[in-house]
């Protein structure tokens, strides 16, 4: 092949690669430098034809500036996407952060029509804010049916543990997202809801056969295909009863025979991130990109080494192992998806063109966030503070990377602290609070005397593993009640754990459940728990705005 032809082939293959970047403009502010390209790398890759960027971190203004910059570095239309399943504010400070989708799944069991209406508003909110920030592709909805209550990575990210509910809510969400003018992505095909390990950490193995998938896992994906969703993301898992030789992302039986042919999906098939340990622990950078493309993937998300990924696909085509028509088909699907975004009529797009720079500041879905929290928070009793005893605010977070959830100014810390509680935070890398006693697992001697307000931030999150979900919190509640040291219980996160806790909780103990973990959820919970008035809320805000150094 002549050098000019080879160069053009590499540029075409590069269009299939999606790389990771921080929304922060300075390289030194990158939160995940091992995955996020430097500015020099970004500019180089985009000038060489890279097809898109997935963004994370920073503020909404950072994101808007970054998207504009990335577009200026490319001579073609590129994908600009983010994992904002629960709102732009989940990843970028200043955006709206909504309750996890499972909250609407719980509502769907009681009031299906109301839940479906809210799911569509949920999609509109995310789509409109994403568009204002410069994104054109949202990697949502999660279409997994969360049939395993201890699922460490899907859990509350799913819309329900019932396939019919997931189908209805995902479809409504996507209609809202699409009406806002944004591309969506159904994930994680053919279903990640029954796993007991996190694919960010290792490769899950499932016994599920095609008959079970057809009855359950595939229902939401069929619904989204009928809604003409533009892309579907693969799951990094091993279905040994369907393909005994390859994980899903590298399986032609799953991606081509099942998804492309049997389900007649005509949109883009995109891999989940190839830097996840389910892949990197078992496959090299070159091999993983080549195998995914050969299996039927159109877009390669976050390959471990960008140049290796491009080289491996070029080699497949030059050697004749994969016909060049496969590349042409993927490029055509890519251009159709981007054209769909550009051409899609949207009143939101029309209004955006009339807005001034940084108009995202004026896009506020705070009322929707409030409404969803008010519908989903459950509680019984209020906390009467006994100041004759030492007060301990014991908090468990399931991730050290949860700074948007819990930091020095978070209401879960500041409210109790202002009332005389001593804050103690447990996390996976800290000193263990446990002792070798199943019925009394908490080592109380490590905390000293006092009564506990127990606040648990546990829901299952990527990279967190299953430690928090599998910890003996039910027995901790029994233990603290037995010695009269449980003042109150708050759970932010898993509805499954909440159901287990309330079965052993004494009716007189103040307790609150919120599916949402964000600061707004914490503020609402603290106001309920401590019976705070509007005037007290204002005083609290003044106290916590003081400069401390």
């Amino acid at each position: 092949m002549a050098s000019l032809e080879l160069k053009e082939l590499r540029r075409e293959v590069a269009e299939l690669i999606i790389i990771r970047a921080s929304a922060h403009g300075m390289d030194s502010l990158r939160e995940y430098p091992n995955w996020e390209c430097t500015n020099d790398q970004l500019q180089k890759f985009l000038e060489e034809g890279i097809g898109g960027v997935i963004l994370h971190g920073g503020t909404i203004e950072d994101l808007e500036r970054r998207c504009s910059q990335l577009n200026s570095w490319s001579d073609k239309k590129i994908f600009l996407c983010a994992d904002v399943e629960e709102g732009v504010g989940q990843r970028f400070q200043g955006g709206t952060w909504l309750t996890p989708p499972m909250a609407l799944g719980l509502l769907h069991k009681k009031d299906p029509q109301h839940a479906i209406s809210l799911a569509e508003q949920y999609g509109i909110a995310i789509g409109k804010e994403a568009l204002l920030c410069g994104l054109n592709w949202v990697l949502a909805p999660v279409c997994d049916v969360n049939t395993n209550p201890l699922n460490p990575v899907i859990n509350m990210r799913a819309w329900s543990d019932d396939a019919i509910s997931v189908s209805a809510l995902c479809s409504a969400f996507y209609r809202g997202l699409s009406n806002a003018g944004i591309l969506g992505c159904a994930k994680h095909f053919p279903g990640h809801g029954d796993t007991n390990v996190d694919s960010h950490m290792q490769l899950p193995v499932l016994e599920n056969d095609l008959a079970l998938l057809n009855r359950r896992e595939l229902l939401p994906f069929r619904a989204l295909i009928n809604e003409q969703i533009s892309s579907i993301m693969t799951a990094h898992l091993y279905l040994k009863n369907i393909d005994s030789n390859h994980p899903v992302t590298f399986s032609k039986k799953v991606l081509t025979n099942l998804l492309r042919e049997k389900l007649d999906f005509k949109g883009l098939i995109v891999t989940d991130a190839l830097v996840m340990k389910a892949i990197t622990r078992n496959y090299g950078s070159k091999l993983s990109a080549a195998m995914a493309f050969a299996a039927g993937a159109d877009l390669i998300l976050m390959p471990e080494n960008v140049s290796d990924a491009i080289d491996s696909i070029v080699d497949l085509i030059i050697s004749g192992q994969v016909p060049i028509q496969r590349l042409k088909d993927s490029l055509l699907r890519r251009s159709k998806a981007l054209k769909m975004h550009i051409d899609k009529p949207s009143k939101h797009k029309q209004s955006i063109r009339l807005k001034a720079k940084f108009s995202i500041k004026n896009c506020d879905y705070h009322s929707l966030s409030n409404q969803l929290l008010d519908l989903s928070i459950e509680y019984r009793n209020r906390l009467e503070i006994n100041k004759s005893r030492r007060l301990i605010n014991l908090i468990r977070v399931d991730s050290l990377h949860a700074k948007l959830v819990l930091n020095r100014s978070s209401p879960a810390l500041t409210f109790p602290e202002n009332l005389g509680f001593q804050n103690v935070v447990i996390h996976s890398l800290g000193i263990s609070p446990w002792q070798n006693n199943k019925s009394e697992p908490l080592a109380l001697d490590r905390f000293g005397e006092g009564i506990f307000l127990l606040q648990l931030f546990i829901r299952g999150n990527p990279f967190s593993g299953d430690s928090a979900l599998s910890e003996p919190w039910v027995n901790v509640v029994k233990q603290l009640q037995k010695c009269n040291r449980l003042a109150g219980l708050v759970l932010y996160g898993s509805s499954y754990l909440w159901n287990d806790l309330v079965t052993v909780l004494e009716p007189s103990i103040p307790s609150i459940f919120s599916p949402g973990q964000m600061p707004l959820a914490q503020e609402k919970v603290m106001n309920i728990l401590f019976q705070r008035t509007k005037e007290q809320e204002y005083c609290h805000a003044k106290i916590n705005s003081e400069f401390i150094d």
Side-chain angles (χ1 to χ4, degrees), residues 97 393-414 423-427 455 457 492 517-519 522:
W97 195 345
N393 180 31
L394 182 60
I395 293 180
R396 170 57 158 117
V397 288
D398 63 3
S399 172
L400 267 184
H401 304 292
K403 68 177 184 179
L404 293 182
V405 170
L406 195 71
N407 55 54
R408 184 63 187 83
S409 62
S410 297
L413 286 168
T414 58
N423 291 325
V424 179
V425 180
I426 299 171
H427 56 80
Q455 296 196 72
F457 288 80
Y492 306 92
Q517 297 183 331
M518 69 287 277
Q522 297 172 40

Side-chain angles (χ1 to χ4, degrees), residues 106-286:
L106 297 172
L107 178 63
H108 190 262
K109 294 176 181 179
K110 306 172 189 174
D111 189 346
Q113 290 308 311
H114 192 195
I116 288 170
S117 173
L118 287 171
E120 187 164 350
Q121 293 177 51
Y122 198 113
I124 290 172
I126 293 176
K128 186 175 179 181
E129 284 197 358
L131 197 65
L132 284 165
C133 288
L135 300 174
N136 55 20
W137 188 22
V138 165
L139 302 182
V142 172
C143 290
D144 305 308
V145 183
N146 194 71
T147 52
N148 178 9
L150 293 178
N151 192 314
V153 65
I154 301 301
N155 213 290
M156 300 297 285
R157 296 168 63 197
W159 290 84
S160 180
D161 48 22
D162 173 77
I164 294 174
S165 293
V166 174
S167 301
L169 293 168
C170 281
S171 295
F173 168 88
Y174 179 64
R175 286 194 295 272
L177 191 73
S178 181
N179 287 339
I182 285 283
L183 301 172
C185 181
K187 60 187 188 183
H188 307 82
F189 187 85
H192 207 312
D194 199 20
T195 57
N196 57 13
V197 298
D198 179 1
S199 52
H200 295 82
M201 310 296 287
Q202 56 185 302
L203 182 66
V205 178
L206 292 178
E207 303 280 348
N208 299 358
D209 58 17
L210 189 56
L212 178 56
L213 293 185
N214 275 317
R215 290 196 306 272
R216 190 175 66 189
E217 274 80 8
L218 295 184
L219 294 184
F221 292 100
R222 290 182 190 274
L224 269 293
I225 290 171
N226 288 338
E227 294 283 349
Q228 297 185 317
I229 194 157
S230 51
S231 64
I232 291 179
M233 180 181 288
T234 68
H236 293 328
L237 48 86
Y238 179 54
L239 293 167
K240 63 181 185 179
N241 289 323
I242 294 177
D243 188 336
S244 59
N245 297 314
H246 305 101
V248 164
T249 300
F250 304 150
S251 172
K252 190 170 184 178
K253 290 181 180 179
V254 177
L255 302 193
T256 298
N257 299 350
L258 177 58
L259 179 55
R260 186 69 75 200
E261 295 172 358
K262 287 189 179 179
L263 298 187
D264 196 29
F265 178 58
K266 300 187 185 304
L268 287 162
I269 299 175
V270 55
T271 71
D272 205 343
L274 293 187
V275 295
M276 291 163 61
K277 290 182 181 178
I279 300 301
T280 59
R281 283 184 170 179
N282 301 286
Y283 302 90
S285 178
K286 261 195 169 185

Side-chain angles (χ1 to χ4, degrees), residues 345-377:
S346 167
K347 61 183 179 182
H348 301 306
K349 278 187 178 180
Q350 294 166 12
S351 66
I352 286 165
R353 285 192 285 268
L354 302 176
K355 289 181 180 285
K357 194 176 182 182
F358 302 142
S359 57
I360 181 63
K361 291 178 179 178
N362 303 318
C363 181
D364 184 7
Y365 281 92
H366 190 77
S367 60
L368 177 61
S369 184
N370 265 305
Q371 183 183 6
L372 292 171
L373 284 169
D374 290 341
L375 284 168
S376 60
I377 289 175

Side-chain angles (χ1 to χ4, degrees), residues 265-326:
F265 178 58
K266 300 187 185 304
L268 287 162
I269 299 175
V270 55
T271 71
D272 205 343
L274 293 187
V275 295
M276 291 163 61
K277 290 182 181 178
I279 300 301
T280 59
R281 283 184 170 179
N282 301 286
Y283 302 90
S285 178
K286 261 195 169 185
L287 185 60
S288 61
M291 291 181 71
F293 181 71
D298 298 300
L299 299 180
I300 309 299
L301 178 64
M302 291 176 63
E304 196 172 16
N305 183 295
V306 175
S307 296
D308 280 354
I310 295 171
D311 288 342
S312 68
I313 296 173
V314 168
D315 290 345
L316 276 183
I317 294 168
I318 291 176
S319 67
Q321 296 177 66
V322 175
I324 196 164
Q325 187 58 44
R326 255 288 284 119

